[in-house]
């Protein structure tokens, strides 16, 4: 469905100019697909550079990686990330209570789960979008929108105005585009968990390269991925929101250490060895929204269906959205029809995953001794029951050549 330049020809929806608000995951990916359709595309990103304050790291699942492969980016992402062989679950004493093995991913799903620093992912996507002549502007925060006959106009905080045929809200969980376009949309809900993370060198941590260890600590949850270069990429989840928001990072570190004081000692070693704590992020999600679009504006990624990290799917869903929406724009007769088809095709899948992520997150809450005893024995069963949903999420394939719904 593409010619030798990688262009698919003008979209039936007659979209010629697009504004993409947000240069995170969904935004530059959408820009890449829109460029394939020959749409003049500008990405507007509030951060002042592609590396600025983006967070720690994330997992890209096989279903998200197939979208990147469709864009010819599998190699660039693999070069910047690290394959994840699987996850070991441990209790507070360090006893292994369950395993999810990812080593057959290539055979089963065509791609292996990857871990990647968020800044590296953003850089790869933005460079690729710029390389295909999408204009990527940093320090460009959208503060107002206006629909005029035949176009939509975005106003930046600098006062500058830009017009296009359509505008896409890829501006994340706290989407300004959502607030401006769908003012009655529900506010994102707090999941009850805060996230803090970091990168450390901690050779004494008993971690196997390429594996993630997830620990149900006595008072908080801790995840650590052993990256191949010897670094530990870690996150910590707890419900102590106020303590995590203490302005002094050393106070936050002390709170994290206190929460893990009775867990495997290497956890405290990793936290102590971390030069800079990243976060905190109070984790929010959006279970459902009545609509994802209005007029010439459509939302995708976290702006439409914010997903807490506990299913490891938010970024992959954002990548899938970009492909599906572009395909709908390619094949529908008008933008509004494309937006409606996009929402209809995506809603069921993403809402099921948002619910699953919330459930997984609830399971991270500290358990009393009796509940912990049961959890330790029941976890292998829960993992087996969850494996079917995970396989469905990972095996999802979206073909660019297929009709846009
Ligand atoms: C701590 C944490 C860990 C996570 N771990 C994982 C994981 O392992 N796997 C996974 O799949 N998902 C994970 N997620 C979820 C994942 O990060 C999101 O689902 C994903 O980033 C959504 O992509 P997006 O492009 O929709 O939004 P984002 O990546 O949030 O990008 C939104 C962009 O819009 C910009 N922006 C915001 N407002 C404006 C404005 N007014 N004007 C211009 N630009 C604006 C922001 O600066 C940002 O760059 C995690 C989330 C968190 C918080």
């Amino acid at each position: 469905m593409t010619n030798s330049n990688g262009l698919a020809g003008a979209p039936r929806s007659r979209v010629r100019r697009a504004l993409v608000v947000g240069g995170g995951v969904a935004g530059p990916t959408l820009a890449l697909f829109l460029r394939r359709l020959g749409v003049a595309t500008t990405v507007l990103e509030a951060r002042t550079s592609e590396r600025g304050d983006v967070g720690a790291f994330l997992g890209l699942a096989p279903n998200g990686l197939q979208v990147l492969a469709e864009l010819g980016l599998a190699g660039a992402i693999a070069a910047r990330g690290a394959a994840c062989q699987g996850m070991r679950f441990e209790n507070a004493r360090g006893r292994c209570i369950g395993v999810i093995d990812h080593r057959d991913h290539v055979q089963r799903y065509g791609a292996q789960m990857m871990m990647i620093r968020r800044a590296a992912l953003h850089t790869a996507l933005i460079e690729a979008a710029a390389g295909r002549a999408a204009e990527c502007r940093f320090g460009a925060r959208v503060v107002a929108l206006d629909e005029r006959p035949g176009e939509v106009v975005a106003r930046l905080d600098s006062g500058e105005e830009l017009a296009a045929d359509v505008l896409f809200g890829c501006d994340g969980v706290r989407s300004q585009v959502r607030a401006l376009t769908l003012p009655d949309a529900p506010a994102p809900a707090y999941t009850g968990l805060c996230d803090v993370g970091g990168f450390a060198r901690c050779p004494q941590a008993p971690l196997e390269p390429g594996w993630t260890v997830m620990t149900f600590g006595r008072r908080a949850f801790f995840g650590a991925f052993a990256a191949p270069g010897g670094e530990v990429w870690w996150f910590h989840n707890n419900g102590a929101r106020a303590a995590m928001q203490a302005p002094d990072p050393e106070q936050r570190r002390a709170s994290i250490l206190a929460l893990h004081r009775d867990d495997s000692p290497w956890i405290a070693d990793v936290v102590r060895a971390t030069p800079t704590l990243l976060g905190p992020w109070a984790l929010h999600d959006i279970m459902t929204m009545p609509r994802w679009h209005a007029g010439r504006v459509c939302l995708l990624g976290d702006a439409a269906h914010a997903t807490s990290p506990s299913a490891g799917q938010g970024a992959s869903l954002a990548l899938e959205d970009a492909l599906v929406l572009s395909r709908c724009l390619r094949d529908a007769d008008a933008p509004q029809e494309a937006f409606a088809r996009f929402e209809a095709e995506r809603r069921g899948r993403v809402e099921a995953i948002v619910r699953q992520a919330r459930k997984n997150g609830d399971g991270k809450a500290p358990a009393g001794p009796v509940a912990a005893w049961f959890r330790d024995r029941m976890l292998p069963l829960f993992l087996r029951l969850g494996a079917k949903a995970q396989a469905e999420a990972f095996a999802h394939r979206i073909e660019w050549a297929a009709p846009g719904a």
Side-chain angles (χ1 to χ4, degrees), residues 8-13 15 18 20 26-39 41 67 70-71 168 170 298 300 318-332 335 338-339 341-343 345-346 398-405:
R12 281 184 59 174
S13 58
V15 167
V20 173
T29 311
L30 179 66
L32 281 158
F33 282 113
L34 292 175
R35 289 301 302 138
R36 186 180 273 193
L37 297 176
V39 176
T41 305
V67 176
E70 168 63 43
L71 288 166
F168 300 104
C170 305
C298 184
L300 61 155
L319 294 166
E320 289 182 3
D321 278 0
L323 194 162
V324 174
L325 179 52
S326 310
R327 215 174 52 176
C328 293
L329 285 162
R330 181 192 66 196
D331 296 342
F339 299 165
R341 285 189 190 184
F342 162 68
E343 184 184 320
E345 181 172 342
R346 296 295 290 158
I398 308 166
E399 302 295 337
W400 173 252

Side-chain angles (χ1 to χ4, degrees), residues 20-29 43-47 52-61 113-116 118 121-122 137-144 156 169-177 180 194-197 235 237 280-284 300-319 321:
V20 173
V21 183
V25 181
T29 311
V43 179
L44 302 169
E45 168 54 53
R47 282 177 284 116
D53 188 24
V54 288
F57 65 98
L58 50 75
L60 291 173
M113 166 81 79
M114 299 279 307
M115 306 303 277
I116 188 164
R118 209 178 269 266
L121 174 63
H122 287 199
R137 294 181 52 174
F138 289 89
R141 178 178 294 280
V142 170
V143 293
L156 306 185
C170 305
D171 50 345
V173 59
R174 297 186 197 292
S175 172
Q176 181 73 11
V177 173
L180 293 166
C194 265
D195 188 291
V196 175
F235 69 90
N237 289 160
W281 298 280
L283 301 176
H284 287 73
L300 61 155
D302 272 11
H305 47 72
T307 314
S308 82
S310 301
Q313 276 289 337
S316 293
L317 292 179
L319 294 166
D321 278 0

